[in-house]
Amino acid sequence: MSKSPTSRRDHRTVLLRRGDIHTPADPFATAMVVERGHVAWVGSEGAADAFADGVDEVIDLDGALVTPAFTDAHVHTTATGLSLTGLDLTGARTLDEALALVREHASARPHDRVLLGHGWDAARWPGGRPPSRAELDEATGGRPLYLSRIDVHSAVVSTALLDLVPDISERAGYQPDGPLTRDAHHAVRAAAQTAVTPEQRTEAQRAALRHAASLGIGSVHECAGPDISSEDDFTGLLRLAAEEPRPRVVGYWGERIEDARGAERIRDLGAVGAGGDLFVDGALGSHTACLHEPYADAAHTGAAYLDAAAVADHVTACTEAGLQAGFHAIGDAAVTAVVEGVRAAAEKVGLARIRAARHRVEHAEMLTPETIAAFAELGLTASVQPAFDALWGGEVGMYAQRLGAARARTLNPFAALLRAGVPLAFGSDSPVTPLDPWGTIRAAAFHRTPEHRVSVRAAFTAHTRGGWRAIGRDDAGTLVPGAPADYAVWRTGDLVVQAPDDRVARWSTDPRSGTPGLPDLSPGTELPVCLRTVVSGQTVYVRPEE
């Protein structure tokens, strides 16, 4: 395959041919023309001959598959980059392994003001115990250390980091020798983030976007906010993405607003919405998701950060200002608060305006038939992460530990959402789960609870067009003339049509079906390999030696 990365000002016309083009415009398409950052034509190999002499470049696909580039609808870019370049505990299988990794990292980074790490998950360790403060003090030699749990809603820290927050013991969520949650966690996270230099931050952001591009991801939705990152981090990321050939970044800032002035501040930051991780509750793993009934393994119902009245005020202010709103809501009580709040806002400003705004709910894991119907009625987009089920679902997974098997089986009901007409946008919540678009589609198609499975085609749509629709763009995320030329080129095996229900044809390689095929994503099969990623017609990644 020819190789020629280009600048953003380069508007050459490019013909891709002799491959498979995944497009609804023509199930038999083997060629595509890109001009001035948009798809100009898709069609057959014979018709491509007519374009060959009039283009600036011809790319011989050599049988490769071309698809729309993926959109990851929920990412924390700097944290993702820091996990790629720093201390990553997601692979630690025991407490002792995690402590050994902390020691190695502390030894390798003698000049860091604060040691940063992510990804521990005591629920998967023998004994189920997180590291104690004394163990962390010993492993770091008494240096400040912040280690976020895999869900990023709690953290364990060293004594030296606690000393940087004088009033920490008075904050909600503080424990003398255990994971910190709620306000205590937010305070130590802020203290740790102040130690990250601008140079470290930019290095991490570049690493994250470079990694995203290598996976065929053309856009990421950055879910930032005052409890997660800083304004400098957010605006710096948006500036970096605009100045360098990288995946595009769509920014959300998770801060409540009360009026048009607040909405204007959100816009001044460069955000498209006041949402993303505007927390209504926390996470199941940290026992902070807000439930109607107590946890199976804890005598409480989690944490509520916003009630229905606060949700209503925020949605009303956003809608009146023409701004998209959004919320982080995982537990069933949190989702109920969102639904009740948005419905109250609809009674004030009108249902049509609420639906037109396409407000979002991030995660939306614990749903009921009633809240699913409400999502459809109110035009809410469900921004969901199928890898959560792959990691924590099943009869003995973390969900079952926290909720009991019966409640756990109700989580992440993707099929029911689609049947109700709720728009889905897929993402990773990276670094909570890795950037992995084909793995995400596989997780949705082979959900641990069979009745929640969706077809590969539906999952693929949620991870391509879904992210664009979630920002109000219905003209993108698919390779048809006029659409933005955001695409990825893949080395893969035979293309098939996969459905989740044995009552319909699960496999079809017959082109007469008229349904564009996709790679076989059955568990155990090799996932496609990205050869090239293009954003607005500009190459942002080419696999080495391709």
Side-chain angles (χ1 to χ4, degrees):
M1 185 180 301
S2 61
K3 172 181 175 181
S4 55
T6 58
S7 73
R8 289 189 183 248
R9 293 185 176 87
D10 190 340
H11 292 301
R12 296 180 305 158
T13 301
V14 178
L15 168 64
L16 299 91
R17 64 185 307 179
R18 289 204 327 116
D20 287 296
I21 313 297
H22 185 90
T23 171
D26 181 352
F28 312 107
T30 62
M32 179 172 75
V33 173
V34 172
E35 186 174 26
R36 300 190 66 82
H38 289 76
V39 177
W41 170 86
V42 290
S44 66
E45 194 59 36
D49 290 335
F51 294 96
D53 293 334
V55 301
D56 300 304
E57 180 184 8
V58 177
I59 295 178
D60 185 346
L61 295 168
D62 192 24
L65 170 68
V66 180
T67 71
F70 288 106
T71 293
D72 192 309
H74 194 117
V75 172
H76 305 286
T77 307
T78 303
T80 297
L82 289 171
S83 70
L84 290 169
T85 60
L87 176 55
D88 181 1
L89 298 177
T90 56
R93 295 167 294 181
T94 66
L95 172 59
D96 288 342
E97 281 188 17
L99 291 170
L101 290 170
V102 171
R103 292 188 189 94
E104 291 174 10
H105 184 72
S107 177
R109 310 282 295 213
H111 304 299
D112 286 5
R113 286 180 288 175
V114 172
L115 299 167
L116 301 171
H118 166 74
W120 61 271
D121 186 0
R124 295 188 292 163
W125 294 345
R129 179 177 72 81
S132 69
R133 197 153 296 143
E135 288 168 331
L136 296 178
D137 291 345
E138 183 277 329
T140 60
R143 296 166 64 190
L145 169 73
Y146 170 85
L147 290 181
S148 54
R149 190 186 181 278
I150 192 168
D151 61 8
V152 201
H153 285 268
S154 62
V156 291
V157 301
S158 65
T159 302
L161 184 60
L162 286 180
D163 291 342
L164 299 179
V165 188
D167 62 345
I168 187 65
S169 63
E170 301 170 14
R171 292 177 178 262
Y174 173 78
Q175 296 187 68
D177 191 22
L180 305 180
T181 62
R182 305 181 68 177
D183 290 346
H185 175 223
H186 297 160
V188 295
R189 177 164 56 191
Q193 288 174 344
T194 59
V196 178
T197 66
E199 294 77 17
Q200 282 178 298
R201 187 169 62 225
T202 300
E203 175 194 11
Q205 291 169 349
R206 282 198 176 105
L209 294 177
R210 186 167 56 244
H211 183 56
S214 76
L215 298 169
I217 297 171
S219 299
V220 298
H221 293 183
E222 166 69 13
C223 292
D227 291 331
I228 301 169
S229 57
S230 68
E231 292 185 10
D232 287 344
D233 179 275
F234 183 66
T235 57
L237 172 64
L238 296 181
R239 186 166 54 250
L240 175 70
E243 292 174 351
E244 300 180 6
R246 302 190 184 280
R248 70 179 81 240
V249 176
V250 177
Y252 285 88
W253 186 254
E255 185 173 353
R256 287 176 61 192
I257 68 167
E258 298 178 352
D259 50 31
R261 184 176 179 181
E264 193 60 31
R265 198 182 92 75
I266 298 295
R267 290 193 176 97
D268 287 345
L269 287 173
V272 301
D277 272 337
L278 177 52
F279 296 115
V280 178
D281 68 344
L284 291 164
S286 295
H287 292 98
T288 51
C290 190
L291 312 181
H292 284 304
E293 300 295 333
Y295 284 86
D297 60 350
H300 62 81
T301 57
Y305 301 134
L306 296 178
D307 60 15
V311 169
D313 290 344
H314 180 71
V315 171
T316 298
C318 286
T319 305
E320 291 180 334
L323 190 68
Q324 190 179 34
F327 303 92
H328 162 119
I330 286 180
D332 51 2
V335 174
T336 295
V338 170
V339 164
E340 291 178 350
V342 177
R343 186 171 281 132
E347 292 173 358
K348 183 172 183 179
V349 303
L351 179 60
R353 293 180 69 188
I354 292 293
R355 290 179 60 86
R358 302 193 189 189
H359 302 308
R360 294 173 53 152
V361 184
E362 309 298 317
H363 315 309
E365 292 199 78
M366 292 187 70
L367 295 158
T368 64
E370 292 74 23
T371 51
I372 291 172
F375 271 45
E377 172 198 356
L378 299 167
L380 299 174
T381 294
S383 172
V384 295
Q385 296 74 39
F388 286 6
D389 174 73
L391 183 60
W392 297 314
E395 294 296 310
V396 295
M398 183 272 287
Y399 290 154
Q401 295 174 28
R402 294 290 184 268
L403 303 172
R407 273 194 295 178
R409 281 192 291 271
T410 69
L411 265 60
N412 301 299
F414 305 136
L417 285 163
L418 283 179
R419 284 195 300 270
V422 177
L424 296 185
F426 280 0
S428 63
D429 200 7
S430 180
V432 175
T433 62
L435 299 170
D436 180 15
W438 288 113
T440 295
I441 294 171
R442 173 185 279 170
F446 295 93
H447 197 295
R448 289 178 179 271
T449 304
E451 58 262 36
H452 299 330
R453 294 174 179 173
V454 298
S455 70
V456 167
R457 184 183 181 191
F460 178 81
T461 299
H463 219 342
T464 50
R465 294 193 75 179
W468 285 97
R469 287 170 168 167
I471 61 170
R473 290 282 301 274
D474 294 332
D475 62 335
T478 185
L479 300 180
V480 296
D486 284 27
Y487 63 89
V489 182
W490 306 92
R491 180 191 299 132
T492 188
D494 291 338
L495 304 182
V496 299
V497 176
Q498 290 174 270
D501 191 333
D502 287 329
R503 291 172 298 179
V504 299
R506 181 182 294 272
W507 306 98
S508 174
T509 55
D510 188 344
R512 292 174 299 178
S513 68
T515 301
L518 285 166
D520 179 4
L521 301 183
S522 299
T525 58
E526 186 175 348
L527 293 176
V529 174
C530 184
L531 305 179
R532 179 185 291 248
T533 304
V534 175
V535 176
S536 288
Q538 310 303 315
T539 300
V540 299
Y541 170 79
V542 174
R543 183 175 173 82
E545 301 180 3
E546 293 292 340

